Amino acid sequence: MDEGTRFLILALASENYALPITRLMEITQPREIRKDPNLTELFEGKFEFRGKLIPVLNAKKVLKISGKPGTTLLVVKSMKGLLGLLVDAVIEILETEQKPVPMPKGVMNPSLRHYSGILRYKKNLVLLLNEEGLLP
Amino acid sequence: MISSYLVFRLSGRLFGVKLLGAIEILPWRGSRPVPLSYSYVEGLIDYRGNIYPVFNLTKRLGMSSPGPIGFTAGQQAQADAVQSIILLEENKTLFGVIVDTVVKMIKLEEPGPDEVSGTTQGVDAKYVKGIANEDDQEILILDFERLLHAG
């Protein structure tokens, strides 16, 4: 039986986004994020997770969405290692048989890899974040 | 060769686009914004199982100024009240453009690729295929194939 795929639906400002659940390690609150001058301004600093320091990306800054950094911290697996991602809120886990629709041509510079597709969620479209493409 | 064109109004001026396939005209109700998209991309809409990118033609055509000379504040306010979205297909690519009003359909001799250069009264001429005259009004015929190419 096809079980479909599960996605975490999350909020950044007034819009929802999705992340493949297989990439998600933990949902937590950002405490003690240590500033690190070696990181670019897209990062809020570093955070200790299971004894290791991992970089924390401000998802809003990465997508050039205005507003304060989010108050929910996602720990995400990327090919370059663990990554913290600050988002505004987690909404729910969506289980769906949808295949993400590719981003239509002409929308954005093809060299930008921030999204891996589009999903339909509650009569709206959500952008599927590509954890690899978010990293600078 | 005679072709059908859809004429619409945007920022107080008339434009035409050649009709190749089916089109849909819907009231504009907003779209899903895409952060980091090109500045002229308004967002995405989901219509009958297809996802369409929606282009802001005013920005795409480089019409930074509010329409032709003599354009008044009242007309500008009217122009700002965006009303319709036209959904089209060009070379198997689906997309939508926001317009103020859809005016009519006309049949025209296809304009030649001549005499349009530089800017056409504030519209980037590279997207203008030709100029038609209908009832003493100028209609800029747009080249949507070019419009779809980023840059």
Side-chain angles (χ1 to χ4, degrees):
Chain A
M1 195 182 104
D2 194 353
E3 288 203 336
T5 315
R6 294 195 301 157
F7 297 93
L8 178 75
I9 304 293
L10 59 100
L12 292 174
S14 55
E15 300 288 346
N16 289 338
Y17 296 80
L19 196 67
I21 209 85
T22 51
R23 294 275 144 208
L24 186 68
M25 296 279 291
E26 192 161 303
I27 301 170
T28 179
Q29 287 191 330
R31 51 197 152 69
E32 291 187 38
I33 294 179
R34 297 179 212 167
K35 293 283 172 204
D36 184 335
N38 296 321
L39 294 172
T40 72
E41 56 162 13
L42 297 180
F43 292 91
E44 285 299 305
K46 284 189 168 175
F47 163 83
E48 196 182 310
F49 179 72
R50 297 181 190 170
K52 276 187 177 170
L53 280 177
I54 62 167
V56 176
L57 264 182
N58 176 347
K60 276 194 208 157
K61 221 165 209 175
V62 172
L63 299 181
K64 298 196 168 112
I65 299 170
S66 60
K68 290 180 183 164
T71 52
T72 300
L73 179 61
L74 308 180
V75 181
V76 174
K77 274 181 279 189
S78 87
M79 308 234 280
K80 293 173 189 164
L82 291 180
L83 177 70
L85 198 60
L86 282 177
V87 302
D88 284 335
V90 295
I91 311 291
E92 68 165 309
I93 308 273
L94 168 73
E95 182 162 347
T96 176
E97 285 173 20
Q98 296 176 53
K99 291 266 175 286
V101 179
M103 185 63 77
K105 277 184 205 155
V107 171
M108 61 199 297
N109 188 322
S111 70
L112 298 177
R113 319 214 55 108
H114 295 71
Y115 312 113
S116 40
I118 306 160
L119 292 169
R120 294 177 170 94
Y121 171 69
K122 291 188 176 169
K123 294 185 180 172
N124 284 309
L125 297 174
V126 296
L127 304 176
L128 180 57
L129 296 174
N130 172 16
E131 66 289 341
E132 311 298 338
L134 298 178
L135 284 164
Chain B
M1 196 181 120
I2 304 272
S3 304
S4 293
Y5 289 81
L6 182 73
V7 178
F8 58 86
R9 191 178 290 279
L10 181 67
S11 291
R13 131 169 325 164
L14 294 176
F15 294 93
V17 56
K18 191 173 165 182
L19 292 177
L20 296 167
I23 61 153
E24 293 275 356
I25 299 162
L26 310 172
W28 171 242
R29 294 198 192 90
S31 61
R32 168 61 159 96
V34 180
L36 309 178
S37 62
Y38 295 120
S39 61
Y40 52 82
V41 173
E42 206 64 37
L44 303 169
I45 65 163
D46 188 11
Y47 181 71
R48 296 201 176 151
N50 287 311
I51 293 174
Y52 293 75
V54 179
F55 298 108
N56 180 324
L57 274 184
T58 313
K59 287 185 190 161
R60 187 56 170 143
L61 299 175
M63 295 163 71
S64 50
S65 63
I69 298 158
F71 212 62
T72 67
Q75 282 172 309
Q76 179 58 39
Q78 200 180 13
D80 285 345
V82 171
Q83 287 168 330
S84 297
I85 175 165
I86 307 174
L87 300 178
L88 311 123
E89 186 178 342
E90 174 97 28
N91 281 344
K92 295 179 183 166
T93 305
L94 299 171
F95 65 101
V97 293
I98 310 163
V99 305
D100 292 341
T101 37
V102 174
V103 179
K104 60 182 169 184
M105 301 258 269
I106 54 169
K107 288 201 183 289
L108 283 178
E109 187 71 34
E110 194 156 335
D114 49 6
E115 83 230 67
V116 184
S117 62
T119 38
T120 314
Q121 296 168 35
V123 176
D124 191 336
K126 101 180 131 179
Y127 305 117
V128 179
K129 248 186 191 166
I131 300 172
N133 275 287
E134 176 90 353
D135 303 333
D136 283 337
Q137 283 189 296
E138 214 169 59
I139 301 170
L140 299 184
I141 306 298
L142 296 175
D143 184 345
F144 271 19
E145 204 179 328
R146 282 217 177 149
L147 212 84
L148 285 174
H149 286 282

